[in-house]
Amino acid sequence: MNSKELITTLSKQMGWTISETNEVMTALGATLGERLTDNDSVSIPGFGQFEVKKKEERITVNPANGKRYLVPPKLSPAFKPGATLKNRIKSLDENE
């Protein structure tokens, strides 16, 4: 599902116009980005938690030439699904 399909589906479910739904989705994305940039986590009940995780520095090897490289530490966004979402996905797997 791409963003256009998501916005169309949400607008039908909420009874909003596509432009109103687009504004809400844009604001949600901006707010999530701001909070994660401030190193805060964002929890959405029934869905999950967005957070920033620090990846430690590590050594990697280029398989083509065997050279070793040091990959510096970095911060990256992460999503941890909530119990409700996990259970819904698990029930889909069990039904197959």
Side-chain angles (χ1 to χ4, degrees):
M1 174 180 273
N2 62 31
S3 63
K4 186 176 180 180
E5 294 168 338
L6 176 63
I7 289 171
T8 302
T9 302
L10 286 175
S11 68
K12 289 178 183 175
Q13 287 181 356
M14 302 294 290
W16 294 350
T17 65
I18 290 177
S19 62
E20 289 172 332
T21 308
N22 190 29
E23 285 180 39
V24 170
M25 292 299 292
T26 302
L28 175 65
T31 303
L32 274 171
E34 288 173 13
R35 296 291 76 182
L36 292 176
T37 302
D38 292 341
N39 206 18
D40 289 339
S41 63
V42 177
S43 181
I44 301 173
F47 186 67
Q49 182 176 6
F50 296 91
E51 58 190 0
V52 175
K53 290 194 173 186
K54 182 178 181 180
K55 292 187 175 185
E56 299 297 329
E57 72 179 5
R58 58 189 168 85
I59 296 175
T60 187
V61 178
N62 182 340
N65 61 17
K67 273 184 99 172
R68 297 173 62 158
Y69 295 96
L70 180 66
V71 178
K74 66 178 182 176
L75 298 175
S76 63
F79 174 72
K80 185 170 27 172
T84 305
L85 182 60
K86 283 183 183 179
N87 291 336
R88 289 182 73 181
I89 291 173
K90 186 177 179 181
S91 70
L92 290 175
D93 189 38
E94 292 172 354
N95 291 334
E96 291 180 1

